[in-house]
Amino acid sequence: MSASPPRVVVIGASAGAVQALMAILPPLPHDYRLPILVVVHVPPDRDNVLAPLLEAKCRLTVKEAEDKEPIAGGVVYLAPPDYHLLVETNGALALSADAPVNFSRPSIDILFESAADVFSDGLVGVVLTGANQDGAAGLRAVAKAGGAAIVENPASAQASAMPQAALAATPTAAVMSLDAIASYLLSLGTER
Amino acid sequence: MPEDIVDLEIQLLLEALYQRYHYDFRHYARASLKRRLTQARDQLGFPTLSALQDRLLHDAAFLPRLLDYLTVQVSEMFRDPSYFRALRENVVPHLRTYPSLKVWVAGCSNGEELYSMAILFREEGLYDRTLFYATDINPEALAAAEAGVYPLDRVRKFTQNHQQSGGRSSLSDYYTADYGRAAFDKSLRERVVFSDHSLVTDAVFGEMHLISCRNVMIYFDRPLQDRAIGLFHDSLARKGFLGLGSKESLRFSAHAEAFAAFRPSEKIYQRRDL
Ligand SMILES: C[S@@+](CC[C@H](N)C(=O)[O-])C[C@H]1O[C@@H](n2cnc3c(N)ncnc32)[C@H](O)[C@@H]1O
């Protein structure tokens, strides 16, 4: 069975997230085909300052994900502070207030695992900079389901622990610099 | 194990749970439910969900353990302080015009939201004319709500939230602390009816002036959300208020037209009556 073309991108980032996302998302054109689901660890009490910040620099729509919202291509969906973001079996987004996972809510693992379950080999998972272990189990699930697993190069990441943990859990993941990740995502969502 | 077999097992397990015990989780949002069920399977030491189902069908004493996974008991007192501030500043003035009030906290979990509401009503001088209903489907949560005892290390956050919600008193006026626990004053539950009630399978039981149902419907699929919202509509008095969780809304609901957005940013709605 040949791999299906990627349908969805999931990204997880923690410490250093804003700078990393600023390197990856702004180059994407407004007619980008794929939806991008993003979990960034932010303090629970913070209003979502990240969406407007990224939106100002991006040509894509950047918004906070809403519960039961259908997923559309060319939109960046951010997990709201203090809620987990998941993909429902019908492909819509869902939020949950379940307990934190890896001390995090939102948790990267929860997004990646639920997305892998639904999109299997049509999923691209990207673990970026961070100082914890969240995302490692999630990226493993992405790879196991046949999706593409990408890890930011720990040597150049602002915080190396999270990409390192992801790589330890999925040794076959592709290691890339932020620039390489940016052009890879660009090539995925603009071809044909 | 292939994922589609797990999905089939979940479907069968939910059917078994419904037919045997009348707990209906068949229309809960599946992704997070699946996560909690596979967690139950692994942590309770079953090789498969089918094996877990076998135990569930033949051992009623096992049910509460599974319910702990199926229902999410994450809460806080004065969770989202701005919601309680809006109740205080915008809803309370309307409620004052009634000689007697009924308030329903639906999905009350271990009682955090109920005590928040009771304290707010006491601070605003409305407590004595109000009857509160606190309902949930998890019997252990209801028992904990009725007991009103919380670990002291959680109370610091409660206190901070209470202050941010515009609290007029000190939270410590309402509990006594010892052995690392805070026991909330029983006078706060004098006018509270705790009851088992499901938004999925049960019906209207009274006419409410305010219904607060937060972070419960987020676990339902769309049609089930509509059922619950219809139930709330039928339970509200004319111009009654409905408060939801910060990430919930009536926007996509079949009943959207039946409510006015009273304080949309805080997800407070008002029953519309022509
Ligand atoms: C996450 S807690 C919300 C607690 C509180 N309302 C808050 O926002 O902090 C969800 C609660 O909903 C209850 N629940 C789940 N399904 C329900 C149903 N069908 N009817 C009533 N309560 C339900 C659960 O047992 C749990 O106590």
Side-chain angles (χ1 to χ4, degrees):
Chain A
M1 207 169 68
S2 68
S4 37
R7 291 186 286 162
V8 175
V9 177
V10 290
I11 299 179
S14 190
V18 177
Q19 266 178 291
L21 291 172
M22 284 294 188
I24 291 178
L25 298 177
L28 303 177
H30 74 276
D31 59 351
Y32 193 71
R33 284 191 308 114
L34 307 181
I36 302 180
L37 317 180
V38 183
V39 164
V40 174
H41 293 157
V42 284
D45 297 327
R46 187 105 64 82
D47 294 334
N48 207 330
V49 290
L50 200 56
L53 198 68
L54 289 170
E55 170 112 73
K57 299 274 182 193
C58 287
R59 283 169 285 178
L60 301 178
T61 305
V62 182
K63 69 183 297 279
E64 196 173 273
E66 291 177 69
D67 188 44
K68 311 288 179 317
E69 180 174 12
I71 300 180
V75 180
V76 178
Y77 300 94
L78 295 174
D82 216 22
Y83 284 82
H84 293 302
L85 173 62
L86 302 95
V87 178
E88 265 309 326
T89 35
N90 62 3
L93 296 172
L95 302 179
S96 100
D98 285 24
V101 170
N102 305 316
F103 308 101
S104 307
R105 189 171 56 207
S107 146
I108 302 167
D109 281 347
I110 288 206
L111 171 64
F112 280 30
E113 285 170 10
S114 66
D117 202 18
V118 175
F119 299 115
S120 54
D121 59 355
L123 187 67
V124 177
V126 184
V127 174
L128 300 175
T129 168
N132 56 73
Q133 316 276 303
D134 195 19
L139 195 71
R140 189 169 46 211
V142 172
K144 204 174 143 217
I150 316 284
V151 174
E152 181 182 358
N153 189 345
S156 54
Q158 211 175 93
S160 60
M162 206 167 84
Q164 241 153 21
L167 208 50
T170 310
T172 54
V175 179
M176 298 186 191
S177 68
L178 285 178
D179 285 345
I181 295 173
S183 28
Y184 172 72
L185 292 184
L186 188 64
S187 70
L188 285 182
T190 48
E191 67 203 7
R192 220 171 36 91
Chain B
M1 185 180 325
E3 284 305 317
D4 43 357
I5 296 185
V6 177
D7 292 332
L8 176 59
E9 283 183 302
I10 290 176
Q11 207 172 316
L12 296 172
L13 174 67
L14 297 182
E15 197 58 43
L17 184 61
Y18 177 60
Q19 299 215 6
R20 171 86 166 85
Y21 299 106
H22 291 277
Y23 277 98
D24 191 354
F25 288 92
R26 293 173 301 174
H27 295 282
Y28 280 47
R30 212 33 94 76
S32 63
L33 193 70
K34 178 175 184 177
R35 198 182 162 87
R36 293 193 297 277
L37 279 174
T38 50
Q39 224 165 28
R41 177 196 65 198
D42 298 345
Q43 292 176 0
L44 301 175
F46 292 95
T48 62
L49 281 171
S50 311
L52 189 152
Q53 176 182 320
D54 183 55
R55 171 76 179 275
L56 178 70
L57 282 175
H58 298 287
D59 178 7
F62 180 70
L63 176 63
R65 295 177 64 191
L66 188 63
L67 277 185
D68 274 348
Y69 284 93
L70 285 168
T71 64
V72 177
Q73 308 300 334
V74 178
S75 192
E76 261 172 33
M77 282 180 73
F78 296 95
R79 178 185 201 165
D80 307 313
S82 56
Y83 171 78
F84 289 92
R85 183 180 278 275
L87 288 181
R88 201 187 285 279
E89 292 174 355
N90 305 113
V91 176
V92 160
H94 290 266
L95 297 181
R96 279 193 204 292
T97 62
Y98 295 91
S100 73
L101 292 166
K102 285 185 177 171
V103 172
W104 177 13
V105 178
C108 66
S109 191
N110 296 327
E112 295 89 339
E113 188 182 349
L114 180 271
Y115 288 101
S116 312
M117 206 65 89
I119 289 168
L120 190 155
F121 273 58
R122 177 153 292 172
E123 287 174 335
E124 300 299 330
L126 291 177
Y127 184 87
D128 293 332
R129 66 172 99 158
T130 305
L131 191 56
F132 296 88
Y133 297 89
T135 63
D136 205 285
I137 56 167
N138 185 318
E140 288 181 357
L142 275 172
E146 201 154 0
V149 178
Y150 305 97
L152 214 44
D153 56 9
R154 296 184 62 201
V155 173
R156 188 174 317 129
K157 177 73 172 160
F158 296 176
T159 303
Q160 195 185 333
N161 287 350
H162 173 240
Q163 278 163 5
Q164 288 172 3
S165 79
R168 296 175 194 272
S169 52
S170 164
L171 195 65
S172 58
D173 298 345
Y174 301 98
Y175 64 82
T176 45
D178 73 85
Y179 302 109
R181 300 181 320 164
F184 278 80
D185 206 272
K186 65 174 185 301
S187 72
L188 288 173
R189 45 184 180 267
E190 259 164 15
R191 304 189 54 80
V192 183
V193 178
F194 294 91
S195 172
D196 173 38
H197 181 280
S198 171
L199 300 175
V200 181
T201 47
D202 294 329
V204 173
F205 60 87
E207 197 179 65
M208 306 294 153
H209 299 88
L210 167 63
I211 298 174
S212 189
C213 181
R214 312 193 70 219
N215 303 302
V216 183
M217 287 191 292
I218 203 170
Y219 293 103
F220 296 176
D221 71 10
R222 273 280 164 74
L224 195 52
Q225 289 181 347
D226 278 339
R227 187 215 189 252
I229 294 164
L231 181 67
F232 293 146
H233 184 264
D234 296 345
S235 302
L236 280 173
R238 270 176 62 83
K239 308 251 179 197
F241 294 92
L242 172 64
L244 306 179
S246 68
K247 297 300 165 199
E248 298 168 321
S249 88
L250 296 184
R251 198 144 64 87
F252 304 111
S253 161
H255 302 281
E257 297 301 314
F259 291 89
F262 180 76
R263 277 293 305 273
S265 63
E266 298 305 330
K267 307 298 158 73
I268 299 173
Y269 298 85
Q270 188 171 27
R271 180 177 150 148
R272 206 195 283 275
D273 287 288
L274 303 172

